[in-house]
Amino acid sequence: MTYRVERATKASRVGAIAAGIGLLVLISLPGWGESSWMRVIVEFACLLTLAQMWNLLAGYGGVVSIGQQGFFGLGAYALFVLADDLGINPFLCVPLAGAFAALMAVPTAKIVFRLSGGYFAVGTWVVAEVYRLLIANASWLGGGSGKSLAAVREFSKALRESTTYWIALAVAAGSVGLVYLLLRSRHGLALTSIRDSERASESQGIDVAGTKFWVYIASAAGCGLAGALYFLNIVRISPDAAFNVGWTAYIIFIVVIGGIGTIEGPILGTLIFFLLRGALADYGSVYLIVLGVVAVVVMVRFPRGLWGYVQERFDLRFFPVQRRVKFD
């Protein structure tokens, strides 16, 4: 009897072809679509990137943070400082903003990783609030009222919107690809084993503290990229908008209803979030109540999220990260 190890499924091959075609259509959108469509897709890409990064941190690493809006805001403000004050091309500032958020995550991790469990979650939120207060009291950054991005005035509206759109597509696709490749590597295997049992992982020689630290840094970089892109899209920023804890609430909602611990879950959750937001846009605060009710119902009925249920029920995996032994 012979055997082989499979790392792809029929669904993943079909999904890769469909995703490639869909991506080509999206890339061509600036040539035939409307500006409003591009703005919505940029926002979608930012939320998807945030959700993938939080899912990597909490869903695969077991590190539950409620302060990711801190890195989202730091990345956004880094864009404004680099572009307006240092004169760097604003589009080149987007990856630099991600690098800045990652850099700021290093001292942040040194502080919050001294805590554990619920204390860690609260600690990340407190640190994010500290960042918000520091920037709100910096008059050269516009203080509490914020500022506009002046550096984009030298670009035409069409060039700015299309370039921002293409960068957003690259960042969103890159975030999905990064998580997929990471989880298929030995580092991903170490990460999921830490989530399941830190003590057992240590007994197998896994560097638990080091792995969690680097995942935290990678997640912060992704959040910084998303923040820079979001505010490059709307060219106006304020501390309350950039560091709003609502960003983390949204991405937790997206990941929980979509399917925590799956790559497909945040994609499905972001789609549902946008559909609900569009359908309830005229109902004010009712919108938030409905989001809460939907989250509670899904958590009770489908503890692993909607995609988690689909995965268990139909064994459907577009991003397989497991190895399967097949006997011939």
Side-chain angles (χ1 to χ4, degrees), residues 136-151:
N137 286 284
S139 57
W140 64 284
L141 291 174
S145 58
K147 60 185 295 188
S148 298
L149 186 62

Side-chain angles (χ1 to χ4, degrees), residues 71-229:
F71 303 116
F72 182 81
L74 287 173
Y77 267 95
L79 163 75
F80 280 65
V81 171
L82 292 169
D84 280 353
D85 298 336
L86 300 183
I88 301 174
N89 183 303
F91 303 115
L92 295 178
C93 291
V94 173
L96 295 177
F100 176 74
L103 185 64
M104 292 300 294
V106 175
T108 304
K110 297 293 183 185
I111 297 171
V112 296
F113 274 90
R114 293 175 179 272
L115 309 171
S116 61
Y119 295 105
F120 172 84
V122 173
T124 57
W125 172 72
V126 170
V127 172
E129 278 295 292
V130 169
Y131 287 141
R132 184 185 69 81
L133 291 172
L134 287 174
I135 288 181
N137 286 284
S139 57
W140 64 284
L141 291 174
S145 58
K147 60 185 295 188
S148 298
L149 186 62
V152 296
R153 292 173 187 161
E154 61 182 280
F155 301 96
S156 67
K157 182 172 180 289
L159 178 61
R160 177 177 62 80
E161 288 181 341
S162 59
T163 307
T164 303
Y165 171 80
W166 284 322
I167 296 174
L169 281 185
V171 169
S175 70
V176 175
L178 171 70
V179 174
Y180 180 56
L181 293 176
L182 175 64
L183 291 174
R184 287 169 66 91
S185 70
R186 62 186 180 88
H187 300 292
L189 194 60
L191 185 65
T192 51
S193 71
I194 291 170
R195 175 196 59 189
D196 295 338
S197 173
E198 291 191 9
R199 184 169 296 180
S201 302
E202 283 181 333
S203 70
Q204 296 299 312
I206 294 173
D207 180 4
V208 173
T211 302
K212 290 167 71 174
F213 174 79
W214 285 112
V215 167
Y216 187 76
I217 302 300
S219 176
C223 292
L225 279 172
L229 268 173

Side-chain angles (χ1 to χ4, degrees), residues 45-60:
C46 292
L47 274 173
L48 175 58
T49 303
L50 280 172
Q52 287 291 355
M53 293 298 102
W54 193 81
N55 188 40
L56 175 65
L57 194 62
Y60 288 108

